[in-house]
């Protein structure tokens, strides 16, 4: 079993919805576009927390729907949504569907309302940071850190809040999600040449990279298998940039 099980659960949820065939097809295209996201991580995190299979699949699918909504918004903003016809027209409706599928699936996954509220607050802040990023024309170390903290750190903190609530790992959710999100975000920006980090002066770029690397090393000390698996590709990228 792996992230593919969560993807199949998401497809089942879409198939049981009141959407017509054409609308389902649009939503599935957005899900396909998000397959490189947190599917495997969500499954591993839920399994490590000891979730029963039904709860793991429901919570994992909710996380995946939320991620795909955010991914679609980002792709539309960057002009990279090639998987929907007329994305600036159809994309907002698909995003609206994905967000509500996430909430409906959370309810079926028996996630307590206070955990949903905290996760939603994190995601609101992450979306706000994305708006701030779009208005940024000159990148500084402070601006790069703020974006990484919110867009990635808060997003993954929200996902782990959902996956780990009511389990022995719940107290670690915010810290682990923040650290992993930031480390992955900086590593990805380094690998792809994103101006958020490559637009910095060399000393500022090194400071941001060290910050992300230190967060990753700190997380590795907690000996969580799901985190360690993610860090195996993240840490080498960060260290190679130092």
């Amino acid at each position: 079993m792996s992230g593919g099980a969560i993807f199949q659960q998401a497809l089942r949820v879409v198939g049981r919805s009141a959407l017509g065939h054409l609308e389902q097809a649009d939503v599935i295209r957005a899900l396909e576009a998000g397959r490189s996201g947190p599917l495997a991580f969500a499954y591993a995190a839920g399994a490590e927390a000891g979730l029963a299979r039904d709860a793991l699949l429901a919570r994992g699918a909710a996380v995946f729907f939320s991620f795909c909504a955010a991914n679609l918004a980002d792709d539309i903003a960057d002009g990279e949504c090639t998987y929907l016809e007329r994305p600036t027209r159809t994309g907002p409706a698909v995003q609206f569907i994905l967000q509500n599928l996430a909430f409906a699936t959370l309810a079926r996954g028996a996630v307590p309302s206070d955990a949903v509220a905290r996760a939603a607050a994190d995601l609101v802040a992450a979306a706000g940071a994305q708006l701030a990023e779009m208005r940024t024309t000159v990148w500084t170390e402070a601006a790069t850190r703020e974006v990484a903290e919110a867009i990635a750190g808060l997003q993954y903190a929200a996902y782990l809040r959902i996956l780990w609530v009511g389990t022995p790992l719940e107290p670690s959710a915010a810290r682990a999600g923040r650290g992993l999100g930031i480390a992955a975000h900086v590593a990805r920006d380094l690998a792809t040449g994103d101006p958020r980090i490559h637009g910095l002066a060399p000393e500022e770029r090194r400071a941001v990279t060290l910050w992300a690397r230190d967060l990753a090393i700190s997380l590795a000390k907690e000996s969580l298998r799901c985190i360690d698996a993610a860090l195996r590709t993240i840490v080498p990228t960060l260290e190679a940039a130092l």
Side-chain angles (χ1 to χ4, degrees):
M1 300 300 294
S2 67
I6 294 176
F7 185 77
Q8 291 301 316
Q9 178 66 16
L11 293 181
R12 285 192 287 272
V13 172
V14 173
R16 292 194 298 261
S17 72
L19 297 170
H21 292 304
L22 292 177
E23 292 74 30
Q24 285 190 24
D26 283 337
V27 172
I28 290 169
R29 289 186 188 99
L31 296 179
E32 291 281 1
R35 288 195 77 162
S36 61
L39 280 170
F41 173 72
Y43 190 92
E48 186 161 4
L51 288 177
R53 174 180 168 79
D54 287 350
L56 193 162
L57 293 181
R59 294 183 187 190
V63 164
F64 184 53
F65 284 133
S66 180
F67 172 82
C68 289
N71 186 63
L72 175 56
D74 190 55
D75 283 348
I76 292 172
D78 293 342
E80 296 175 354
C81 183
T82 58
Y83 43 90
L84 293 178
E85 184 180 359
R86 297 189 298 167
T88 58
R89 294 275 292 169
T90 62
V94 175
Q95 184 187 7
F96 191 25
I97 292 168
L98 288 166
Q99 288 167 329
N100 283 285
L101 285 172
F103 282 114
T105 310
L106 281 175
R108 296 190 185 99
V111 179
S113 60
D114 61 335
V116 175
R118 272 180 272 172
D122 284 343
L123 293 172
V124 167
Q130 189 174 25
L131 284 174
E133 178 195 9
M134 292 175 189
R135 297 186 177 101
T136 301
T137 56
V138 178
W139 287 99
T140 64
E141 179 184 344
T144 297
R145 283 178 178 253
E146 287 171 9
V147 165
E149 283 267 11
I151 288 180
L154 288 179
Q155 186 175 174
Y156 272 78
Y159 295 159
L160 287 184
R161 285 188 197 278
I162 290 167
L163 289 164
W164 286 355
V165 65
T167 76
L169 296 181
E170 181 178 359
S172 300
R175 182 179 67 258
R178 172 185 176 271
L180 180 63
I182 290 169
H185 175 89
V186 174
R188 183 173 59 250
D189 280 0
L190 285 165
T192 60
D194 196 285
R196 287 180 298 222
I197 192 161
H198 286 278
L200 298 176
E203 64 274 13
E204 290 186 315
R205 183 164 60 250
R206 178 176 173 79
V208 171
T209 304
L210 278 170
W211 170 57
R213 195 278 307 270
D214 289 348
L215 284 171
I217 289 174
S218 177
L219 278 180
K221 295 176 182 177
E222 299 193 22
S223 300
L224 292 166
R225 294 186 302 277
C226 60
I227 300 291
D228 290 343
L231 293 179
R232 277 197 285 272
T233 57
I234 292 169
V235 172
T237 299
L238 295 171
E239 291 187 334
L242 293 173

